[in-house]
Amino acid sequence: MPISALPTTASLADRARAALDRCRVAAPQEPAGAGGAARSPITGRELFALGHESAADVEQAVTEAREAFAAWRDTPAPVRGQLVHRLGELLREHKADLAELVTIEAGKIRSEALGEVQEMIDVCDLAVGMSRQLYGRTMPSERPGHRLMETWHPLGVVGVITAFNFPVAVWSWNTCVALVCGNTVVWKPSELTPLTALACHGLLMRAAQEVGAPARGLHRVVLGGREIGRALADDPRVALLSATGSTAMGREVAPRVAARMGRYLLELGGNNAAVVAPSADLDLVVRGSVFSAAGTAGQRCTTLRRLIVHEDVAEEVTRRIVDAYKQLRDRVGDPFAESTLVGPLVGERGYAAMRSALERAAAEGGQVLVGGSRVLEEEAADAYYVEPAVVRMPGQTAVVREETFAPILYVMPYRTLEEAVELHNGVPQGLSSSIFTQDQSEAERFLSAAGSDCGIVNVNIGTSGAEIGGAFGGEKDTGGGRESGSDSWKAYMRRATNTVNYGGELPLAQGVSFL
Ligand code: NAD
């Protein structure tokens, strides 16, 4: 039996208002235009009306961000880091408030919502460290009396487009790093998560006031639909557009930015797989797979969607995963309830995509082994709660090669590691991957250039739940961007190569003589 008592829409609206008010500064930025609304997938209903902005608001926001850039660019990077340090402190203080909004707007269970805010706090710490480490290199010059070096400078206005499923963490990956690098930010959050966006903006503005950073124009939120994203893509003053969402979105945004010679950073859809070798520790496989495949109701970019299992262990692995999924059936429901592991899908579109994928999988020779049903329909007719599904597939058919943003795990057999890698790489997307094996040689082959073609390649853990210290992103239709850790800050800066002549002579490079 799923968890049946759901909170009322009115109580969710009250909780959302209260959490938002605690995060904002005295004069909140309220969008003026009509037509928007805050909603919750918990009941599928509107919480309250909210302003909706237009392309003209983007124009104004970019103008202000461009003006603020001049002063922010000249602020020393470690001083810029103090703003992000203060933001990190405020996030610690308001962790519960932001998590509350993430649960209300994105439907994440409490522990995952708190985890997402923790990720923001971790990113703040990382970005503060970066603010003292925006290193350039020096190279030996071929000319006597010369010094050759690289310096890194801010880009200007960074536009950030984010998806509903990580409504705060992805903002922080981009914004904390962009700010310490000396950029100003205009953010277009998902139209499904405006309240979390206003709360993040409120906390950042409070941090700016407290550390004496220029509050006006340093960061702006523009609420609205894809027309806002398009306006950001087309504005030549937006030096970098960092866009996170579906591959379909990236396909439209990237050519628009490229047409004006702008820069873009894309974090798009995934279709992530794990290979289970015969030597694998099956306890790890089951726990790692169930969390990666069913967690967040299958709505992570890194969700495990394909399990490629060696035929010697396929039956046992499938049986154990199906058994684990049967336990999940009682744990679908109100994401605020302690016992819930699977909250709602974000909306009707996700549910329709899941139904259609299951029908296509059956038509392509698949067999649903567990799950797939909608539950709690009587309690909340406008909300979409589903039992996560496991589908046995004869091979990698057309539906398996697509990302369906819902909890469906396709299980397929393999015989040789070469075959497993071919299946693994045989999809358009390239975000996250894993191999479960106790055989070091197999693990190394999967990690090598001839192995997984993804941006994230793991051994003996699932595909989801990445740490912020590593660069995050994927290849092929996932867009090729890298955000968060390692040297991904370089995407938010421009590089200048400098040659300094302190020798008093003027030797030319490559031995050229002239005059
Ligand atoms: P979506 O593409 O529908 O929307 C994402 C954002 O892009 C929203 O703010 C939306 O308003 C905007 N947008 C959509 N179409 C646009 C257009 N044509 N021009 C400009 N802006 C546009 O995605 P979603 O449903 O919110 O999120 C789920 C998708 O995001 C999945 O495909 C998931 O894999 C992907 N995702 C990827 C990552 C990653 O880091 N790789 C992280 C989170 C989500």
Side-chain angles (χ1 to χ4, degrees), residues 138-151:
T138 60
M139 289 73 78
S141 169
E142 68 188 46
R143 287 171 278 186
H146 283 59
R147 185 155 67 89
L148 188 57
M149 63 182 181
E150 287 176 346
T151 46

Side-chain angles (χ1 to χ4, degrees), residues 70 94 212 226 236 283 285-286 293 306-307 353 357 385 393 404 424 494 498 512:
H94 290 276
R226 47 187 66 181
D283 290 337
V285 171
V286 175
R306 300 176 293 137
L307 200 60
Y385 292 87
M393 293 302 293
T404 300
H424 177 277
R494 64 182 173 83
N498 315 125
V512 172

Side-chain angles (χ1 to χ4, degrees), residues 328-349:
L328 287 182
R329 289 202 287 215
D330 297 336
R331 319 278 298 265
V332 180
D334 173 15
F336 279 117
E338 277 298 311
S339 56
T340 299
L341 292 177
V342 181
L345 292 180
V346 79
E348 203 272 332
R349 204 176 45 155

Side-chain angles (χ1 to χ4, degrees), residues 162-165 188 191 244-246 252 267-269 301 403 472:
T162 52
F164 82 85
N165 67 324
K188 181 242 169 298
E191 48 276 60
T244 301
S246 58
E252 180 173 341
E267 292 286 2
L268 308 174
C301 51
E403 180 195 47
F472 182 95

Side-chain angles (χ1 to χ4, degrees), residues 212-410:
R216 188 180 165 83
L218 189 69
H219 182 265
R220 279 287 309 262
V221 182
V222 187
L223 297 183
R226 47 187 66 181
E227 68 287 354
I228 303 290
R230 290 189 181 114
L232 274 176
D234 291 342
D235 194 319
R237 299 167 301 165
V238 174
L240 168 71
L241 183 66
S242 175
T244 301
S246 58
T247 296
M249 178 273 286
R251 278 197 206 293
E252 180 173 341
V253 157
R256 293 180 96 111
V257 180
R260 60 173 175 83
M261 297 291 188
R263 290 189 193 197
Y264 54 76
L265 194 169
L266 300 176
E267 292 286 2
L268 308 174
N271 187 356
N272 317 294
V275 172
V276 181
S279 66
D281 176 333
L282 298 191
D283 290 337
L284 293 188
V285 171
V286 175
R287 281 174 47 219
S289 303
V290 174
F291 170 68
S292 284
T296 330
Q299 300 171 114
R300 284 191 187 216
C301 51
T302 50
T303 289
L304 176 64
R305 307 201 182 278
R306 300 176 293 137
L307 200 60
I308 302 166
V309 194
H310 191 272
E311 59 183 9
D312 287 356
V313 288
E315 205 166 307
E316 184 178 355
V317 167
T318 309
R319 180 182 50 75
R320 289 183 61 178
I321 287 184
V322 168
D323 285 348
Y325 267 57
K326 285 181 181 159
Q327 316 287 315
L328 287 182
R329 289 202 287 215
D330 297 336
R331 319 278 298 265
V332 180
D334 173 15
F336 279 117
E338 277 298 311
S339 56
T340 299
L341 292 177
V342 181
L345 292 180
V346 79
E348 203 272 332
R349 204 176 45 155
Y351 176 64
M354 182 169 180
R355 289 303 324 147
S356 153
L358 289 174
E359 278 164 24
R360 286 175 59 201
E364 292 170 12
Q367 184 192 3
V368 179
L369 301 176
V370 64
S373 306
R374 183 174 172 194
V375 296
L376 296 171
E377 206 172 339
E378 283 179 16
E379 289 79 358
D382 301 315
Y384 295 88
Y385 292 87
V386 291
E387 291 175 353
V390 176
V391 184
R392 182 187 280 138
M393 293 302 293
Q396 193 145 272
T397 63
V399 73
V400 178
R401 297 178 72 251
E402 292 173 15
E403 180 195 47
T404 300
F405 216 56
I408 303 175
L409 178 63
Y410 299 111

Side-chain angles (χ1 to χ4, degrees), residues 402-424:
E402 292 173 15
E403 180 195 47
T404 300
F405 216 56
I408 303 175
L409 178 63
Y410 299 111
V411 183
M412 295 165 289
Y414 79 88
R415 283 195 195 83
T416 63
L417 186 63
E418 288 67 31
E419 191 192 340
V421 170
E422 203 176 308
L423 276 171
H424 177 277

